[in-house]
Amino acid sequence: MSWIDEAVVYQVYVRSFADGNGDGVGDLAGMTGRLEHLASLGVDAVWLSPCFQSPQADHGYDVSDYTAVDPLFGTVADLEAFVAEAHARGIRVMLDLVPNHCSVEHAWFREALAAPAGSPARARFHFADGRGLDGELPPNNWGSVFGGPGWTRLSDGQWYLHSFDASQPDLNWGCDEVLEMMDDVLRFWFDRGVDGFRVDVAHGLVKREGLPDWTGAPGSSNEFMWNQPGVHDIYRRWRKIAYEYGACFVGEVWVASVADLMAYASPDELGQAFDFHLLVQPWHAPSIRGAVEHGLRPGTAWALANHDVHRPATRYGQAQLIEEPDPADMLASARRRGPVDLPLGRRRAVAASMLMLALPGAAYLYQGDELALPEVLDLPHSVRQDPIWLRSGGSELGRDGCRVPMPWTAEPDTFGFTQAPAAWLPQPEAFGALSVEVQEQEPWSALAVLRRAVRARKGLFTGDELTWLEADPDVVAFRRGRSICVLNTSGRELALPGDWGPVRVSSVPIDGRILPTDACAWLSVAEGGDGVSPSPTPATAGTTKES
Ligand code: NOJ
């Protein structure tokens, strides 16, 4: 049993959290200054999006030096200071490791560019000759996740592989030097008190031997690029290092089968991996139940959001299409389209967070979701920065809309985010009323509810066992330990059975024992009662409310 198994982890998107030096971009000093917010939320740990040296082509997921902090965010000393301050408040710190690829500005890639084809410097990456008469065609048919080909050609005629942007060359994990370098990176940060790492595209590091053409159906997930068996040797190796420090990992793993996911999350490998099925579900009780079932096992990290997907408050306020997620494009599956009923979406988002917090396993909150912030869908095209936007020629809006800086106060123009006249992405006017300062004054704000929920969670929900309670098909209800979580998606009010005990936390005010629609409640079963009476009944005209 490790602290991370049941942790509430708060994801900080560093450039959008708080700006300490007044340049309009969030940084480590800004984060340290806002640690009280995290302490008052009651989270166990933070995961920081990458703050290593980087040209920022993919906002830090393009690392040019894994043991340096980018000056945009501060220094290694600032990071150490942040770790110390977080630890002083009982908050652990996880960094974001990007092992699949580095940056074209990494010293190794520069060296590779200067070295001839076939050289050891090129063996640290995937360089290959092209096909066609003159090598003018890429070495295989693999595409980039961000759109376009997965290969870029150099002036000397060779091509290099990049699963993402051309600025992010894939490292060759068949090369011992790569393995050794990343061992050193782990130790470097563990020696500085870092408690663990989120591992970026953990299923991507190893490629199919020989890099053959993908022969599956067009548009299907390229099984030669992802989830190769050899990747597990890497994580067994890292586990031994982490063991020396008592450190931990959580893997960003997008694989279709539960058995495959379990291998990454096994205790001798990463120990924990995200199960994204809950994140991609619409507001539909049977789908939500199915996703919970999907993730019920040791080592699950739950999330409803992160820096790559549309925010829940917006998703749940759009038309809810009941369809199976596309395993080849789970990110797209997380997106909804059409007009947004934001008050409804925000209310559902808070309820969904409460459901997630009641589950066995670790729960990850993305910054701003404690405020139920909306996705900013109408950013001017001129300010968009995401490589997805750039590489798709503007046909995909990309992920900037969930990365808009945090509103701390009601004060325009930057709502306490920065002393600069403007934040790196413009914040909508509506952020003022959703700011931390404003929500702190409201007893039923998203912030107030989630503070209560995060703090109550561990006392109320214990053990790994979850028992479904028979309920209306449009209601998700389960018991865990001595507590019950009930989520009402039915569109109707529900009368909560008396033997389910008193309501401890709810996403909206509860009048008597009536749970309104689009709401979640936690109850604790009375001593002696088994708390599993058949089902909450729809409230009808004849149902009496307790006064
Ligand atoms: C997954 C990260 O979450 C995403 O933000 C990034 O662009 C890609 N991996 C590439 O590193």
Side-chain angles (χ1 to χ4, degrees):
M1 184 82 190
S2 153
W3 66 268
I4 200 175
D5 297 342
E6 284 280 319
V8 178
V9 184
Y10 182 99
Q11 181 192 352
V12 173
Y13 196 67
V14 180
R15 60 166 46 234
S16 299
F17 192 65
D19 177 17
N21 69 356
D23 65 355
V25 180
D27 51 34
L28 290 160
M31 274 165 38
T32 307
R34 292 287 185 188
L35 260 170
E36 273 316 306
H37 176 66
L38 303 181
S40 67
L41 191 55
V43 300
D44 302 294
V46 285
W47 141 33
L48 310 187
S49 57
C51 50
F52 310 115
Q53 190 179 293
S54 158
Q56 304 291 318
D58 188 19
H59 290 340
Y61 287 96
D62 49 322
V63 180
S64 54
D65 185 342
Y66 289 89
T67 56
V69 166
D70 196 281
L72 192 60
F73 303 125
T75 61
V76 172
D78 290 334
L79 185 48
E80 286 176 308
F82 175 78
V83 171
E85 288 290 327
H87 284 174
R89 290 166 176 80
I91 298 173
R92 292 187 160 90
V93 179
M94 300 175 75
L95 301 183
D96 202 324
L97 190 69
V98 190
N100 179 69
H101 45 268
C102 59
S103 157
V104 284
E105 291 189 16
H106 192 284
W108 276 3
F109 196 74
R110 288 173 186 266
E111 200 183 323
L113 292 187
S119 59
R122 289 205 173 182
R124 296 167 177 148
F125 299 90
H126 296 283
F127 280 90
D129 293 329
R131 298 193 287 197
L133 276 182
D134 193 26
E136 73 281 9
L137 299 173
N140 69 19
N141 65 356
W142 297 5
S144 147
V145 173
F146 288 167
W151 295 88
T152 290
R153 195 175 195 193
L154 301 173
S155 53
D156 68 8
Q158 275 218 307
W159 298 72
Y160 67 90
L161 177 70
H162 49 88
S163 302
F164 293 88
D165 190 46
S167 63
Q168 296 165 297
D170 281 31
L171 288 160
N172 174 10
W173 280 87
C175 168
D176 284 346
E177 270 185 285
V178 172
L179 285 159
E180 286 155 15
M181 183 268 271
M182 214 54 84
D183 289 354
D184 293 345
V185 169
L186 292 177
R187 287 183 189 284
F188 179 89
W189 292 112
F190 291 153
D191 282 335
R192 278 156 188 79
V194 166
D195 300 286
F197 281 97
R198 175 259 190 189
V199 181
D200 190 62
V201 278
H203 56 306
L205 280 51
V206 176
K207 314 295 189 278
R208 176 64 60 92
E209 187 71 44
L211 310 181
D213 270 337
W214 170 236
T215 48
S220 60
S221 174
N222 179 348
E223 288 172 20
F224 296 163
M225 258 175 120
W226 311 110
N227 195 29
Q228 300 300 302
V231 78
H232 298 290
D233 294 337
I234 300 170
Y235 300 134
R236 282 190 279 268
R237 176 180 178 122
W238 291 4
R239 171 55 55 196
K240 290 191 188 120
I241 297 173
Y243 185 72
E244 292 170 35
Y245 293 87
C248 56
F249 301 104
V250 56
E252 185 210 20
V253 183
W254 298 90
V255 292
S257 97
V258 172
D260 283 356
L261 198 49
M262 283 175 76
Y264 291 86
S266 69
D268 63 335
E269 295 195 24
L270 295 175
Q272 191 174 93
F274 285 104
D275 186 309
F276 291 113
H277 278 252
L278 188 61
L279 187 156
V280 300
Q281 298 308 322
W283 188 252
H284 175 239
S287 308
I288 293 172
R289 258 195 309 273
V292 169
E293 291 276 5
H294 189 273
L296 278 183
R297 61 177 170 276
T300 287
W302 304 100
L304 291 167
N306 58 40
H307 61 293
D308 291 330
V309 297
H310 281 192
R311 285 197 181 267
T314 294
R315 289 190 333 245
Y316 292 137
Q318 291 172 298
Q320 302 298 299
L321 301 179
I322 319 296
E323 56 191 14
E324 274 300 300
D326 174 3
D329 196 352
M330 294 282 275
L331 288 187
S333 300
R335 223 168 288 146
R336 311 264 168 265
R337 312 225 175 240
V340 186
D341 177 343
L342 196 55
L344 178 66
R346 294 189 68 235
R347 176 184 169 103
R348 289 174 171 174
V350 176
S353 292
M354 276 187 60
L355 173 108
M356 173 176 77
L357 288 165
L359 297 172
Y364 284 68
L365 289 171
Y366 176 50
Q367 94 181 19
D369 283 345
E370 78 280 26
L371 307 176
L373 290 183
E375 180 80 10
V376 182
L377 294 167
D378 58 356
L379 281 170
H381 293 344
S382 58
V383 303
R384 291 192 179 275
Q385 306 196 3
D386 186 354
I388 294 187
W389 159 257
L390 302 171
R391 283 182 72 85
S392 70
S395 65
E396 288 287 337
L397 289 186
R399 304 161 295 176
D400 293 309
C402 64
R403 301 172 176 181
V404 173
M406 281 278 282
W408 294 97
T409 69
E411 196 71 28
D413 290 332
T414 67
F415 308 109
F417 169 72
T418 175
Q419 297 296 318
W424 71 276
L425 276 179
Q427 300 148 295
E429 220 178 290
F431 266 28
L434 302 177
S435 63
V436 173
E437 181 185 54
V438 169
Q439 295 206 27
E440 274 183 333
Q441 305 308 316
E442 299 168 354
W444 288 97
S445 66
L447 180 60
V449 169
L450 291 173
R451 276 183 179 165
R452 290 196 283 273
V454 171
R455 294 183 162 280
R457 148 191 163 98
K458 287 208 179 80
L460 290 178
F461 294 100
T462 51
D464 289 339
E465 210 172 306
L466 180 152
T467 312
W468 294 112
L469 302 183
E470 216 182 283
D472 180 314
D474 291 325
V475 169
V476 182
F478 61 83
R479 176 173 172 174
R480 187 177 157 222
R482 296 212 59 79
S483 298
I484 287 172
C485 171
V486 51
L487 178 82
N488 181 5
T489 72
S490 70
R492 302 176 297 277
E493 290 186 333
L494 288 168
L496 299 165
D499 60 353
W500 281 17
V503 174
R504 299 294 184 193
V505 185
S506 56
S507 61
V508 293
I510 301 267
D511 182 9
R513 293 195 62 85
I514 299 298
L515 181 65
T517 189
D518 301 308
C520 182
W522 293 351
L523 305 93
S524 48
V525 177
E527 273 309 313
D530 72 6
V532 277
S533 73
S535 96
T537 42
T540 60
T543 310
T544 45
K545 293 183 185 181
E546 282 171 14
S547 53

